[in-house]
Amino acid sequence: MAALINSNIPQLKLLSKGKVRDIYATTSSPNHLLFVASDRISAYDVILKNGIPDKGRVLTELSLFWFDKLEHIISNHVITSRIEEMPEEVQQYKEQLEGRSILVRKAEVVPLEAIVRGYITGSAWAEYKRTRTVHGIPQPEGFLESEKFPTPLFTPSTKAEQGAHDENISPERAASLIGQELYDKISAVAVKLYTTAAEYAATRGLIIADTKFEFGLVDGELILIDEALTPDSSRYWPQEGYVPGRGQPSFDKQYLRDWLTSQGFRKGLEGGPDGQGWTMSDEVVQGTRERYLSARDILLK
């Protein structure tokens, strides 16, 4: 089973190639964009050389589910995921695009990663151990790794260009970047989105430890864009066996992050130990694929 590393749609103009998504302009629909979720995968802002078969389809299916489920809170950028409803110049690539493509509204992207944390883990835990803060926000003594915050914490980061690292920043700095009014609106909406999603996930036996949202503006209206609550943008833990004080098993990229770390990855080695990039073993590809499929199946079936 081959992974789709790069989409190939020569009749459309490729506008950008992100860590996962290829974004195209549609000639006959100038106010819309075509998002194509490839099977590329990244960790620590490094794109691995090989991909995860079906990953793009899993991300698309989950994003569409969450966009629909959360639409009562905020509108999103989705126009359609049905190839037959897309412009004619797109339809001829149906075999390649089926299940991994969304036609979306073109939006002005807000340059902020809107991270909501329900549990202390990852970079938040690393910062807390050093300074007793999370994104510069003081936290009480005595937190354990993976412990639940009393209330979900909105912790923004910068939205880095391809190849650069997102940077965790304080709420004050985030507000200075995008304006206090927009910051307040995004932080309130992001926490509500997370809380609603976490409540649903709990009914399926899953914990959403944290997640990242992205927002855009269309004619002044704030909307949800990019993806929503996928294993790429969220940490999913099983409720069964959850115990604070240690790392948790997960249905997300943590498995890949742990493997990279075990292989000697560190800042400065983004190009791989030999400068040729990082390639996952077959075992890591399969293990990651199984975790993504499990998250989808638990949430949707």
Side-chain angles (χ1 to χ4, degrees):
M1 185 184 303
L4 181 73
I5 302 299
N6 297 296
S7 61
N8 181 27
I9 311 177
Q11 287 205 336
L12 299 184
K13 180 182 179 182
L14 179 64
L15 298 178
S16 70
K17 182 182 286 290
K19 294 169 189 169
V20 174
R21 285 166 186 79
D22 297 339
I23 302 177
Y24 291 88
T26 54
T27 310
S28 61
S29 192
N31 293 322
H32 299 153
L33 298 170
L34 180 69
F35 273 36
V36 182
S38 74
D39 294 330
R40 298 190 295 271
I41 192 166
S42 69
Y44 301 121
D45 294 318
V46 173
I47 300 173
L48 282 295
K49 290 180 70 175
N50 50 341
I52 308 296
D54 295 321
K55 173 176 172 282
R57 292 189 171 94
V58 171
L59 299 187
T60 301
E61 188 175 2
L62 277 170
S63 286
L64 289 168
F65 168 78
W66 285 116
F67 280 137
D68 180 66
K69 195 165 193 65
L70 300 171
E71 194 165 18
H72 66 287
I73 297 173
I74 186 172
S75 296
N76 58 68
H77 67 168
V78 176
I79 299 296
T80 185
S81 61
R82 296 169 63 87
I83 303 297
E84 59 269 26
E85 295 176 354
M86 294 184 186
E88 286 188 13
E89 66 266 26
V90 175
Q91 294 181 26
Q92 62 185 299
Y93 300 102
K94 181 175 181 176
E95 184 176 348
Q96 181 185 166
L97 300 177
E98 191 81 76
R100 62 172 74 246
S101 306
I102 307 176
L103 189 71
V104 305
R105 289 191 281 170
K106 191 182 292 186
E108 177 190 350
V109 177
V110 178
L112 198 72
E113 304 276 9
I115 301 167
V116 184
R117 302 180 186 273
Y119 295 74
I120 188 164
T121 187
S123 63
W125 173 241
E127 180 186 336
Y128 176 79
K129 287 190 293 182
R130 291 193 310 269
T131 63
R132 295 298 184 265
T133 62
V134 174
H135 287 240
I137 305 167
Q139 301 297 318
E141 291 284 341
F143 263 130
L144 300 175
E145 182 180 7
S146 306
E147 188 171 347
K148 188 176 183 179
F149 287 109
T151 57
L153 199 62
F154 181 73
T155 56
S157 76
T158 59
K159 186 171 170 57
E161 295 296 322
Q162 176 99 2
H165 293 285
D166 298 335
E167 177 190 353
N168 292 348
I169 57 177
S170 68
E172 292 77 18
R173 185 175 168 204
S176 73
L177 289 175
I178 66 171
Q180 188 69 53
E181 183 178 355
L182 183 57
Y183 173 85
D184 290 343
K185 185 179 294 187
I186 285 175
S187 62
V189 168
V191 169
K192 190 170 184 179
L193 289 169
Y194 168 81
T195 302
T196 304
E199 288 172 353
Y200 172 79
T203 70
R204 312 295 292 187
L206 288 178
I207 292 168
I208 303 178
D210 54 35
T211 194
K212 177 195 73 176
F213 299 109
E214 295 191 32
F215 295 92
L217 296 166
V218 176
D219 297 327
E221 177 194 7
L222 186 69
I223 65 169
L224 186 60
I225 64 169
D226 194 52
E227 63 181 342
L229 293 141
T230 73
D232 263 13
S233 63
S234 315
R235 284 185 173 90
Y236 282 101
W237 299 339
Q239 284 179 343
E240 186 177 357
Y242 164 72
V243 179
R246 58 171 174 79
Q248 308 297 315
S250 63
F251 299 107
D252 52 57
K253 283 201 291 192
Q254 194 58 46
Y255 174 73
L256 173 58
R257 295 186 191 103
D258 291 345
W259 174 80
L260 265 179
T261 301
S262 75
Q263 300 301 301
F265 175 84
R266 64 180 187 276
K267 284 190 177 180
L269 277 183
E270 287 83 358
D274 57 1
Q276 301 301 308
W278 292 89
T279 300
M280 294 173 284
S281 66
D282 290 344
E283 180 184 1
V284 171
V285 168
Q286 185 60 25
T288 303
R289 182 175 184 271
E290 288 172 358
R291 284 162 173 78
Y292 275 56
L293 291 172
S294 293
R296 181 200 64 186
D297 291 348
I298 293 168
L299 285 164
L300 305 189
K301 294 185 178 180

